[in-house]
Amino acid sequence: MLRFSQCMRENGVPEYPDPKFEEGGGVNLSLPEGTSKEKVDAAEQKCRQYLPNGGEAKKPDPGVTEQLRAYSKCMRENGIEKFPDPTDQGLQVNNEQLGMKPDDPRLKAAEEKCRQLRPNPDDAESGTQSRSQG
């Protein structure tokens, strides 16, 4: 992930941050407000090789998907109304769509209440990814 961030900076997104690894095993990349989506998309194409699995999400097994559904439901029940359900590619959380930053106290409180429902962070196929702009 660090090499990916370096590559992004080398390919037209100088403000691209280093990843922040979350306690539950997820990765957070918060882009500064005003970052050009076009530049980010173009750089991602050049740097995809540095992402785990070439940037393609691994499909979780059905048991992990059920755990992720329970986690998502818990997050919504604890005040994060726009928290998504998992797809066949796992759980993709975009803080911009949630309408809050990763360090929002409401999000942190809900994560703490629902932590026991998250799949084991050592399960490589259960990773939760989040990305935010702004």
Side-chain angles (χ1 to χ4, degrees), residues 55-126:
E56 298 298 321
K58 291 183 179 180
K59 293 183 181 183
D61 68 45
V64 171
T65 300
E66 286 306 310
Q67 286 179 290
L68 290 172
R69 276 195 190 97
Y71 178 75
S72 294
K73 180 180 178 193
C74 180
M75 292 294 285
R76 289 190 296 272
E77 289 172 348
N78 282 282
I80 314 301
E81 295 86 13
K82 295 181 181 178
F83 201 87
D85 277 321
T87 67
D88 64 347
Q89 296 185 358
L91 183 59
Q92 304 291 320
V93 181
N94 182 325
N95 292 91
E96 207 171 81
Q97 290 174 337
L98 293 180
M100 57 184 59
K101 296 193 182 277
D103 60 350
D104 188 296
R106 297 170 295 166
L107 185 59
K108 293 287 187 190
E111 286 173 342
E112 184 61 31
K113 288 180 181 176
C114 302
R115 182 175 40 177
Q116 78 281 359
L117 297 172
R118 276 186 84 150
N120 182 347
D122 294 331
D123 181 349
E125 296 179 349
S126 70

Side-chain angles (χ1 to χ4, degrees), residues 1-5 7 46-55:
M1 291 299 296
L2 286 172
R3 182 64 188 112
F4 176 77
S5 291
C7 180
K46 294 178 182 177
C47 301
R48 184 173 301 277
Q49 67 199 21
Y50 299 113
L51 288 172
N53 201 36

